[in-house]
Amino acid sequence: MTLNRPRRTDDPQRSQTMLGTWDPPLLAAPHRLFFLLGALQLVLCILFWLVVLTGLYIPAVPVLPLTVNAMSAHLFLMLYGLFIFFVFGFLLTVFPRWLDTAEVDRCRYALMAALLTVGMGAYYLGLLTSRNVALIGNGLFVGGWGVGLWTLAGIWRCSNRGDKRFALFPFGCVTLGGIGAVSHALWLWTSQDELLVIAGAVGLWLYLVPLVIVISYRMIPFFSSRVLTPYVAIKPRWTLPATLICVLAHFGLTLFDKPEWLFLCDLPLAAIGAWHSYLWGLWRSLRVPLLGMLHLSFAWLAVAMALYAIQSLLQWTRIPLDLGLAPLHALAIGFVTSMLVAMASRVSLGHSGRPLQADRITLWAFATVQLATIARVLAEFPWPGHGYAYLGLVLAAALLWLAAFIPWGLHFGAIYCRPRLDGVPG
């Protein structure tokens, strides 16, 4: 997404005092630094999980001794320790443009990035050494998250726009995500399992899923109208509120452990998602790969919610069949992660002065994430010789993830460290 250059909050004299003449391209805009750190986390999170899995399931590989339950650590890293770098990178860049305010001071967002990064580093170290070290890392990470929220709130308060309420929704989702990260820290401190359940439910259903849904509703028809002709951007007023009500209902039923009733909200959500994929022109979008990536990512929402509904109906009818974590991974990898690849690639290309065209590495990363999603979803089905099939598919999904994001991170990481091709600042 190409955006206009904003005004700067940096006082030139102050910037010269703080940074001297050092002005690296990596600090030219918030998304550069945060996206680079996010690309690193895309690799580290699954590399850590791959080491854990091989130790647990392959006898010849030693088990990695952890101070925290491996699944709980995986949940925290994937829900909170990964996507927030991209979320803050995006919001700190677009909030001043949306709200017509000055650009965020680079010292502020560099401090945020440092707290988030040091916190994650300490958390990883604590997983191997001490639960208290992991707690300290979690606390530093939450501190960086809090600085980010304070910064976004300041941008909103300084705006003189009369129609600025639309920015409160993404801010609210990120705030709820911060509360979920605090819940995980409290779990590390108290070992109360209820806090871990809250952290998982909040992170997925109040932070990531509604945030990605709302961004999709805003951006996909807009981008489609710029590329597909003729095109009518159809956005019925009732569907977004209905979608968010279904998401909130799923959160409530999950929190109160009523999975057998989830179909009541998940079936409508799957139907609305599929309907929008049709209305927005999923098949037409495939002519333009960068746009098609957005549409295909959104289509995973309908698939994931259909799987959730099927699993709920199986439990409601007491049929002895379980889809396990298939719906969760269809949602988290298929919908959220695919949308991350599509959106981050588009933003990175546009903000580096490059044409909005998907290159081979971008297409490779997106296609490989689709294969990783399919492998991880299929791993939960009761295949013959299920134990070996499960292990093979789970390891394949992790390896496919790494095969997608190592080249993607190197490719765009190099772009973040270079000036724009068109010579425009930022």
Side-chain angles (χ1 to χ4, degrees):
M1 179 175 60
T2 304
L3 299 169
N4 296 327
R5 175 69 179 168
R7 301 190 303 271
R8 297 182 62 89
T9 50
D10 306 47
D11 179 10
Q13 294 182 351
R14 182 186 176 201
S15 296
Q16 187 174 6
T17 301
M18 297 292 292
L19 299 173
T21 58
W22 188 55
D23 190 21
L26 185 60
L27 296 179
H31 79 277
R32 289 175 172 264
L33 176 59
F34 282 92
F35 281 20
L36 179 64
L37 294 171
L40 179 62
Q41 272 292 84
L42 281 167
V43 175
L44 290 179
C45 285
I46 293 301
L47 192 59
F48 161 78
W49 188 234
L50 184 62
V51 172
V52 170
L53 287 175
T54 54
L56 290 175
Y57 291 106
I58 300 178
V61 179
V63 177
L64 189 66
L66 298 178
T67 60
V68 175
N69 175 270
M71 186 63 73
S72 302
H74 181 58
L75 177 143
F76 176 74
L77 290 171
M78 297 305 293
L79 289 182
Y80 297 103
L82 169 57
F83 295 103
I84 192 59
F85 289 98
F86 293 96
V87 170
F88 273 139
F90 177 74
L91 292 181
L92 289 173
T93 300
V94 301
F95 248 50
R97 294 161 168 83
W98 287 352
L99 298 173
D100 194 24
T101 66
E103 187 182 66
V104 179
D105 185 274
R106 65 176 56 183
C107 294
R108 173 70 67 87
Y109 65 74
L111 172 63
M112 288 172 52
L115 286 171
L116 291 170
T117 303
V118 173
M120 272 293 94
Y123 186 83
Y124 279 118
L125 180 62
L127 294 178
L128 301 174
T129 59
S130 167
R131 190 182 181 104
N132 289 332
V133 174
L135 175 59
I136 292 171
N138 198 155
L140 290 170
F141 183 77
V142 168
W145 200 307
V147 174
L149 290 174
W150 182 260
T151 302
L152 292 175
I155 296 171
W156 193 87
R157 287 195 305 268
C158 291
S159 174
N160 292 321
R161 285 192 58 167
D163 58 342
K164 62 181 183 178
R165 287 183 298 175
F166 70 91
L168 290 176
F169 188 88
F171 177 78
C173 290
V174 179
T175 301
L176 290 169
I179 293 172
V182 171
S183 297
H184 188 271
L186 292 174
W187 170 74
L188 286 173
W189 187 23
T190 66
S191 298
Q192 295 293 320
D193 289 340
E194 295 82 2
L195 292 167
L196 189 62
V197 173
I198 292 172
V202 169
L204 188 62
W205 297 106
L206 296 186
Y207 160 46
L208 282 178
V209 169
L211 180 63
V212 177
I213 286 175
V214 169
I215 290 175
S216 300
Y217 270 72
R218 183 181 178 91
M219 296 300 184
I220 292 178
F222 172 75
F223 289 145
S224 299
S225 66
R226 292 296 186 93
V227 177
L228 303 178
T229 55
Y231 186 86
V232 179
I234 303 174
K235 294 191 291 184
R237 291 186 177 182
W238 64 271
T239 53
L240 182 56
T243 297
L244 297 177
I245 289 171
C246 291
V247 170
L248 287 174
H250 189 112
F251 167 76
L253 291 169
T254 299
L255 202 61
F256 291 101
D257 194 25
K258 299 293 182 183
E260 67 275 13
W261 297 106
L262 286 174
F263 70 92
L264 294 175
C265 54
D266 293 347
L267 277 176
L269 184 51
I272 293 173
W275 187 48
H276 271 284
S277 287
Y278 171 75
L279 289 178
W280 290 343
L282 169 61
W283 301 116
R284 289 180 64 196
S285 74
L286 300 181
R287 304 172 192 169
V288 184
L290 195 62
L291 177 65
M293 288 163 55
L294 294 170
H295 283 262
L296 288 172
S297 302
F298 187 80
W300 273 109
L301 176 64
V303 175
M305 301 319 300
L307 290 173
Y308 269 113
I310 292 169
Q311 186 173 52
S312 175
L313 287 168
L314 290 172
Q315 293 174 328
W316 188 67
T317 56
R318 298 184 180 180
I319 295 176
L321 181 63
D322 186 16
L323 300 184
L325 298 177
L328 172 63
H329 287 98
L331 187 67
I333 307 177
F335 175 52
V336 177
T337 306
S338 295
M339 193 64 74
L340 167 66
V341 177
M343 285 287 186
S345 298
R346 188 180 187 95
V347 169
S348 299
L349 291 171
H351 279 261
S352 63
R354 287 169 169 77
L356 291 176
Q357 297 176 354
D359 53 37
R360 288 180 296 176
I361 294 179
T362 301
L363 292 174
W364 162 264
F366 185 80
T368 309
V369 168
Q370 308 314 296
L371 294 177
T373 307
I374 293 169
R376 189 59 189 86
V377 169
L378 291 179
E380 298 294 327
F381 286 77
W383 303 105
H386 178 62
Y388 293 105
Y390 173 83
L391 175 60
L393 287 168
V394 169
L395 293 178
L399 291 171
L400 285 166
W401 177 292
L402 293 175
F405 286 117
I406 289 175
W408 186 87
L410 290 172
H411 175 60
F412 283 104
I415 290 176
Y416 303 142
C417 296
R418 296 171 183 165
R420 290 177 59 121
L421 291 183
D422 54 12
V424 176

